[in-house]
């Protein structure tokens, strides 16, 4: 075990947090601190830890009482779940019991990167009305654990794990097939089916989407332009006569389709109540198609949408 005199070294951790120096160090501690800093600069990984303990005693006992799991997220879990992915089903008692039992030692100085590793994020919080407060955030990764406890002045705390994580057991506690019970509002999508040749293996083609307006709880919201697609896709060179339209959310009432000739000098509208099973007859010439509709999603959100696609028929 290394002396806590190393606390005199002001080394920054991830998240720009550092160990505060509450007292003026003695001459001896300055020498030790400078030597440690030199080693860190030379090798990049020097760890100073305390005597350790369990996550139960070092983290949960410091967190507010009444915590429950509020959010679970994985990152790089396996070859099928690369990147960040929310998990919406878990065995809370077993998951908390396993995390609490982990033997750890706190790292005061060191360079422990979690980039590229499999990660499990678990947030604990207390529900007040419809909000989650007093979040205790934890991240498990191979060999280490990061924690952020409410009202703790140190910010992110870093711990070394004394044993390897039982990832298979953790996976058995997570339900990756559970559906998000409270999804955030997101603009709907429109996809298209033309024929088996264009839609190989049944893959639907996406139309270009544009959010015209958003209303939430009866109030207009600012539209995030990053949600809109750039450009207009479509099909070129096929003798198409119809397309079937699919929507990720059911339209609220009737939607309309504007059909314009290629020069945009002439146009006409088709109403959804004129269509059978959302099958749209295509014009007998190359044309631009724009679908206008209103969609009620979640949390009292209504999106006014525009979907666009082009059809370029073969030259005769």
């Amino acid at each position: 075990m290394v002396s806590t005199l190393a606390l005199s070294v002001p080394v920054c951790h991830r998240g720009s947090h550092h160990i505060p120096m509450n007292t003026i160090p003695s001459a001896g501690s300055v020498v030790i601190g400078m030597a440690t800093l030199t080693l860190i600069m030379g090798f990049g990984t020097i760890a100073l830890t305390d005597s350790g303990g369990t996550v139960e005693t070092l983290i949960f006992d410091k967190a507010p009482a009444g915590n429950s799991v509020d959010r679970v997220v994985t990152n790089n879990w396996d070859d099928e779940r690369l990147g960040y992915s929310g998990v919406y089903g878990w065995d809370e008692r077993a998951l908390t019991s396993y995390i609490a039992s982990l033997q750890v030692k706190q790292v005061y100085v060191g360079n422990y990167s979690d980039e590229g590793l499999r990660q499990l994020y678990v947030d604990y919080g207390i529900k007040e009305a419809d909000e989650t407060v007093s979040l205790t955030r934890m991240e498990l990764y191979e060999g280490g654990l990061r924690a952020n406890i409410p009202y703790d002045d140190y910010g992110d705390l870093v711990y070394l794990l004394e044993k390897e994580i039982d990832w298979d057991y953790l996976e058995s506690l997570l339900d990756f097939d559970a559906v998000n019970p409270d999804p955030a509002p997101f603009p709907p999508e429109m996809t298209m089916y033309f024929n088996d040749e264009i839609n190989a293996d049944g893959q639907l083609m996406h139309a270009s989407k544009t959010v015209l307006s958003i209303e939430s709880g009866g109030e207009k919201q600012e539209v995030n332009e990053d949600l809109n697609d750039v450009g207009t896709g479509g099909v070129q060179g096929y003798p198409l006569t119809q397309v079937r339209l699919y929507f990720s959310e059911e339209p609220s009432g009737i939607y309309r389709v504007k059909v314009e000739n290629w020069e945009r000098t002439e146009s006409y509208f088709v109403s959804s109540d004129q269509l059978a099973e959302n099958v749209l007859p295509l014009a007998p010439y190359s044309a631009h198609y724009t679908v206008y509709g209103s969609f009620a999603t979640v949390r009292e959100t209504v999106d006014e949408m525009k979907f666009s696609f082009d059809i370029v028929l073969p030259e005769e």
Side-chain angles (χ1 to χ4, degrees), residues 6-304:
L7 289 176
S8 62
V9 184
V11 177
C12 289
H13 290 282
R14 179 181 176 186
S16 300
H17 299 293
H18 63 276
I19 302 300
M21 294 179 288
N22 298 320
T23 59
I24 299 176
S26 65
S29 65
V30 171
V31 172
I32 294 174
M34 291 304 294
T36 304
L37 180 59
T38 302
L39 287 171
I40 293 170
M41 293 176 66
F43 296 97
T45 306
I46 296 295
L48 305 181
T49 67
D50 57 19
S51 57
T54 65
V55 171
E56 177 74 38
T57 58
L58 297 178
I59 299 177
F60 282 133
D61 285 352
K62 297 179 182 178
N67 271 337
S68 61
V69 176
D70 178 69
R71 186 184 72 138
V72 176
V73 175
T74 64
N75 184 33
N76 297 329
W77 189 260
D78 53 31
D79 291 340
E80 296 180 358
R81 301 183 184 92
L82 297 175
Y84 293 95
S85 178
V87 180
Y88 304 105
W90 53 77
D91 183 334
E92 179 160 349
R93 178 177 295 182
L95 179 61
T96 300
S97 177
Y98 177 79
I99 295 174
S101 70
L102 294 174
Q103 291 283 337
V104 295
K105 291 185 177 181
Q106 186 173 350
V107 179
Y108 293 115
V109 178
N111 179 20
Y112 289 86
S113 174
D114 54 8
E115 294 183 5
L117 298 177
R118 176 163 44 177
Q119 297 158 301
L120 175 66
Y121 297 86
V122 182
D123 289 353
Y124 289 83
I126 299 173
K127 288 287 187 181
E128 291 185 359
D130 293 331
E131 295 185 4
T132 302
V133 299
S134 301
L135 279 175
T136 300
R137 301 178 179 274
M138 284 191 280
E139 172 202 352
L140 279 170
Y141 57 96
E142 200 60 63
L145 180 147
R146 295 182 188 273
N148 193 299
I149 305 171
Y151 319 120
D152 192 305
D153 293 335
Y154 292 110
D156 282 345
L157 305 175
V158 182
Y159 298 86
L160 296 181
L161 295 173
E162 295 190 358
K163 294 183 179 180
E164 292 185 1
I165 297 174
D166 190 343
W167 295 107
D168 290 338
Y169 177 65
L170 284 175
E171 181 162 344
S172 73
L173 306 179
L174 306 177
D175 183 359
F176 289 98
D177 296 324
V179 177
N180 186 353
D182 186 23
F186 197 79
E189 305 274 349
M190 190 188 88
T191 53
M192 304 171 288
Y193 177 83
F194 294 95
N195 56 42
D196 291 342
E197 183 177 8
I198 294 175
N199 301 96
D201 299 323
Q203 294 294 320
L204 299 177
M205 180 179 294
H206 278 79
S208 176
K209 74 174 182 299
T210 302
V211 183
L212 299 177
S213 68
I214 301 176
E215 186 177 286
S216 181
E219 296 184 2
K220 290 287 186 181
Q221 306 294 319
E222 183 178 354
V223 175
N224 181 358
E225 297 297 334
D226 292 337
L227 296 175
N228 297 334
D229 294 330
V230 177
T232 302
V235 179
Q236 179 175 356
Y238 288 85
L240 300 171
T241 59
Q242 65 180 33
V243 59
R244 184 169 184 176
L245 309 180
Y246 294 87
F247 301 95
S248 60
E249 302 286 346
E250 284 297 317
S252 301
I254 295 172
Y255 64 86
R256 302 174 73 211
V257 184
K258 184 178 182 180
V259 184
E260 300 175 274
N261 64 354
W262 200 251
E263 295 76 19
R264 297 188 188 272
T265 57
E266 298 179 1
S267 65
Y268 63 89
F269 280 88
V270 178
S271 177
S272 60
D273 58 2
Q274 300 174 268
L275 307 180
E277 298 183 343
N278 291 332
V279 175
L280 173 68
L282 299 176
Y285 46 79
S286 299
H288 307 283
Y289 296 83
T290 309
V291 179
Y292 296 93
S294 178
F295 300 82
T297 57
V298 296
R299 301 182 187 177
E300 299 182 345
T301 302
V302 177
D303 296 318
E304 296 295 334

